[in-house]
Amino acid sequence: MTTVTSKLQTMGLVQKTQDNIDRRRISLAITEKGKELLRRLAPYQREINDVEFSCLTKEQFQLLSTIMENLIECGDKAVALQRYKSTIKDDSKVA
């Protein structure tokens, strides 16, 4: 992951920012150059996605989309909990 993101950063496609609290955490943001490349890629990706999801009915795809949205929301909550826990003292280690 580090190698790939470093290459993307070198290419000017992403910007890496280190977390102030936990220096091991890195946030990635897409640069304007990266956004432009994604915009140009969109028609190609749309065609690929049409083939990839063609085996699903409209209803199945909508259900999949809902499940993915829920997983993303839960993932955001899990990351928030992880960040919170990394900032508090672990009292279970105190004897």
Side-chain angles (χ1 to χ4, degrees), residues 23-79:
R23 309 287 288 170
R24 297 169 296 174
R25 293 178 196 255
I26 302 293
S27 295
L28 298 174
I30 302 171
T31 63
E32 285 305 316
K33 181 179 176 182
K35 289 177 185 178
E36 175 56 31
L37 189 60
L38 288 171
R39 280 190 284 275
R40 290 194 331 235
L41 176 66
Y44 174 78
Q45 188 62 52
R46 198 171 303 118
E47 182 181 4
I48 301 298
N49 287 347
D50 287 347
V51 172
E52 182 173 10
F53 295 105
S54 66
C55 61
L56 299 178
T57 65
K58 180 179 178 180
E59 293 77 19
Q60 289 171 328
F61 184 80
Q62 288 172 335
L63 177 59
L64 176 63
S65 295
T66 300
I67 291 169
M68 293 305 296
E69 288 172 8
N70 291 342
L71 286 171
I72 290 168
E73 183 180 334
C74 290
D76 290 344
K77 290 177 183 177
V79 169

Side-chain angles (χ1 to χ4, degrees), residues 4-33:
V4 172
T5 55
S6 293
K7 286 181 184 179
L8 292 171
Q9 184 179 23
T10 300
M11 295 168 67
L13 302 176
V14 298
Q15 180 181 7
K16 293 166 88 172
T17 307
Q18 199 167 37
D19 188 277
N20 292 331
I21 296 170
D22 186 345
R23 309 287 288 170
R24 297 169 296 174
R25 293 178 196 255
I26 302 293
S27 295
L28 298 174
I30 302 171
T31 63
E32 285 305 316
K33 181 179 176 182

